[in-house]
């Protein structure tokens, strides 16, 4: 009986952590790819409306998580074209699924990756990239073999910060994905529920785990900067 109880407690402890890690990794991959491409595209481009576009891209970093969750529900709801298309393709709505947690985490983490990528690409000497083009390199080859290696240090830092931000996402995830044990219950939402129910022991275990992992990630970033 005690062994079964311990197994249940261990499963209760590890399930939100594993789900948080899996969600953060998936969201991180999406954010790293999209943020790097967006950062490269807008690093030196000048066009009318750029300031407005960049402001929109950076909004998730300052908006309250509940506002982000509200917009995600509106955008991916059953009454929108996007929501209906997803439901038609996958035979179910995206709201209150694991992918909803991924989307919410990706949205809030994107600005960190975008700003890091943009800053990194802006530090590259344009003459170096132009020399590669003169030698016959295509834009993709310049991007992959010149721009990314030169901005690698900043891109790695942005990737780690984005992953850490996705790992700690709470508000938008709770609104958009809910808190379904074993399905959408990430560590931050599990901590909230544990405190609300008075289970301080489990809450402390999850808090310590998240703080430790976040500390390691940020320490790596700091070491990379030296």
């Amino acid at each position: 009986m005690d062994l079964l109880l311990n197994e249940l407690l261990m499963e209760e402890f590890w399930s939100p952590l594993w789900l948080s890690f899996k969600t953060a990794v998936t969201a991180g991959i999406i954010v790293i790819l999209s943020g790097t491409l967006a950062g490269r595209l807008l690093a030196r481009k000048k066009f009318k409306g750029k300031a407005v576009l960049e402001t929109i891209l950076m909004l998730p970093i300052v908006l309250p998580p509940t506002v982000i969750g509200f917009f995600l529900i509106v955008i991916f709801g059953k009454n929108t074209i996007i929501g209906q298309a997803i439901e038609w393709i996958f035979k179910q709505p995206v709201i209150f699924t694991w992918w909803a947690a991924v989307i919410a985490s990706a949205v809030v983490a994107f600005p960190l990756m975008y700003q890091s990528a943009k800053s990194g690409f802006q530090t590259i000497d344009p003459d170096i990239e132009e020399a590669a083009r003169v030698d016959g390199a295509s834009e993709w080859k310049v991007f992959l073999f010149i721009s990314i290696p030169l901005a690698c240090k900043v891109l790695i830092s942005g990737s780690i910060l984005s992953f850490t931000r996705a790992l700690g996402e709470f508000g938008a995830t709770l609104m958009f994905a809910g808190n379904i044990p074993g399905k959408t219950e990430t560590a931050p939402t599990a901590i909230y529920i544990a405190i609300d129910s008075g289970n301080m022991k489990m809450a402390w275990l999850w808090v310590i785990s998240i703080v430790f992992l976040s500390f390691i990630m940020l320490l790596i970033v700091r070491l990379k900067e030296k």
Side-chain angles (χ1 to χ4, degrees):
M1 186 68 180
D2 290 339
L3 181 61
L4 179 61
L5 182 61
N6 288 332
E7 287 180 357
L8 289 174
L9 288 173
M10 287 301 293
E11 183 179 353
E12 181 186 359
F13 171 71
W14 284 111
S15 178
L17 288 177
W18 168 242
L19 192 61
S20 288
F21 181 79
K22 186 170 67 169
T23 300
V25 168
T26 307
I29 292 172
I30 295 171
V31 166
I32 290 167
L33 293 175
S34 60
T36 300
L37 289 173
R40 179 67 181 86
L41 183 64
L42 298 176
R44 297 195 184 94
K45 289 278 186 179
K46 293 183 179 180
F47 55 89
K48 193 173 182 180
K50 180 182 178 181
V52 175
L53 175 59
E54 288 193 296
T55 301
I56 293 172
L57 293 178
M58 294 299 295
L59 265 180
I61 208 168
V62 295
L63 285 177
T66 49
V67 173
I68 297 173
F70 173 81
F71 278 124
L72 289 175
I73 290 172
V74 170
I75 293 170
F76 292 94
K78 291 184 177 182
N79 297 324
T80 66
I81 295 176
I82 296 175
Q84 291 172 358
I86 291 174
E87 191 168 356
W88 180 73
I89 294 171
F90 298 102
K91 308 303 179 185
Q92 66 172 7
V94 70
I95 298 176
F96 300 128
T97 66
W98 176 72
W99 279 105
V102 172
I103 293 170
S105 297
V107 168
V108 299
F110 176 84
L112 291 172
M113 187 65 218
Y114 165 72
Q115 190 60 41
S116 296
K118 179 188 169 186
S119 299
F121 290 129
Q122 284 178 333
T123 61
I124 300 173
D125 186 348
D127 292 337
I128 298 175
E129 294 176 323
E130 189 58 37
R133 294 187 185 97
V134 171
D135 289 338
S138 64
E139 285 299 322
W140 271 110
K141 285 186 177 180
V142 172
F143 176 62
L144 292 174
F145 300 110
I146 304 296
S147 304
I148 287 183
L150 290 175
C152 184
K153 192 174 181 180
V154 177
L155 292 177
I156 291 174
S157 296
S159 300
I160 295 172
L161 289 173
S162 300
F163 171 81
T164 308
R165 180 66 187 86
L167 186 69
E169 164 50 29
F170 168 67
T173 300
L174 186 61
M175 284 191 66
F176 188 45
N179 183 54
I180 306 171
K183 189 176 180 181
T184 65
E185 186 183 47
T186 59
T189 56
I191 292 169
Y192 173 78
I193 297 300
I195 293 174
D196 190 53
S197 62
N199 190 355
M200 295 303 295
K201 180 180 178 181
M202 195 62 74
W204 268 112
L205 289 173
W206 282 320
V207 166
I208 291 170
S209 300
I210 292 295
V211 169
F212 176 75
L213 187 55
S214 298
F215 175 82
I216 294 299
M217 294 292 100
L218 290 176
L219 181 62
I220 293 172
V221 172
R222 298 302 299 173
L223 293 175
K224 283 283 183 183
E225 291 176 352
K226 294 184 177 180

